[in-house]
Amino acid sequence: ISGALLKTKLYVPHLRPDRVPRQRLLQRLRQGLPGRKLTLISAPAGYGKTTLLAQWIAQAEHPVAWLSLDEGDDDPARFLAYLTAAMRRLPEFPSSPSPDGVEYAGDGEARLTALLNQASELPKLAVLVLDDFHRLTEPIVHRYVAYLVDHMPPSLALVVATRADPPLPIARLRAEGQLTEIRQAE
C-alpha cells in the first residue's frame, strides 16, 4: 500500500455532550463480552450505531481497537494494513513477530494468521471494532473478515457496526451462541 495510513481512522469518535444515553443497549454490549466472537450492530443511517459504540468504549472494561472503514478499504492490501495498525494500538499487543516465524508478508490469509497468532498472546480480552462495515463490498475483504471471525482466539472479540447484514457466518454464530445482535428495532 502506498502512502501513510490516516491515523484518524483508528480513533474512537468523540462523544457529543447532547447524546442520548442508552443504558439498556450499553448493558447488552457489556453482557455480550466475553464469551461471544461477534457483536453485530445493524441499523440504517442515523440510528446512532457509532455513538452507541463510543459511549460503550468510554465505559469499557476491555481494551478496544477501532477502525472506521470507508470505500477505499475495499482494497485488500489497504484493509489488512489498517486492520494491523488498529490491532497494534491495543495495549499489550505483542510487538515481536509471531512465534511461528510468519511475518506480515505474503497473501492475506498468511498476514491474518500472523495477526491472529499475536492476538492469541494478549493477556486479557481485547475488542476490535469495525465501524461502517457496509462500505466494504469486495468479496475478498469479506472473506478476510470471515477468516478472522472463524479463527479468532479467546483473547479477541469483534464488533461490527453496519447498515446491512454483512456476508459473515451470522446464522452459524447465532446457532453456536457466539453472536450478540443489536438491531434497528432496539
Side-chain angles (χ1 to χ4, degrees), residues 157-181:
L158 178 65
V159 176
V160 170
T162 183
R163 294 180 186 172
D165 282 2
L168 298 175
I170 293 171
R172 179 175 51 82
L173 292 169
R174 187 182 296 127
E176 293 172 350
Q178 293 293 315
L179 177 68
T180 299
E181 297 176 86

Side-chain angles (χ1 to χ4, degrees), residues 20-112:
V20 176
R22 294 183 270 178
Q23 294 304 323
R24 185 178 57 83
L25 295 180
L26 292 170
Q27 182 64 25
R28 291 253 344 255
L29 284 169
R30 281 190 292 273
Q31 289 173 341
L33 299 169
R36 301 216 173 136
K37 287 185 173 187
L38 177 64
T39 297
L40 177 66
I41 303 172
S42 181
Y47 273 70
K49 299 175 293 293
T50 301
T51 301
L52 174 65
L53 284 171
Q55 287 177 338
W56 170 70
I57 290 168
Q59 305 170 3
E61 300 171 10
H62 309 288
V64 176
W66 181 277
L67 177 54
S68 295
L69 299 165
D70 59 43
E71 291 79 7
D73 297 320
D74 253 351
D75 174 79
R78 178 179 160 142
F79 174 76
L80 290 172
Y82 272 109
L83 183 67
T84 301
M87 296 290 291
R88 285 183 172 171
R89 291 177 55 88
L90 287 169
E92 301 184 44
F93 191 80
S95 59
S96 62
S98 61
D100 59 8
V102 177
E103 300 288 335
Y104 291 113
D107 68 10
E109 193 170 301
R111 292 178 67 189
L112 282 171

Side-chain angles (χ1 to χ4, degrees), residues 113-141:
T113 298
L115 191 64
L116 287 166
N117 286 341
Q118 285 187 285
S120 71
E121 297 176 31
L122 287 166
K124 59 184 177 182
L125 180 68
V127 179
L128 170 63
V129 174
L130 300 179
D131 191 31
D132 289 333
F133 195 87
H134 57 275
R135 294 183 175 182
L136 300 179
T137 59
E138 181 61 42
I140 192 162
V141 175

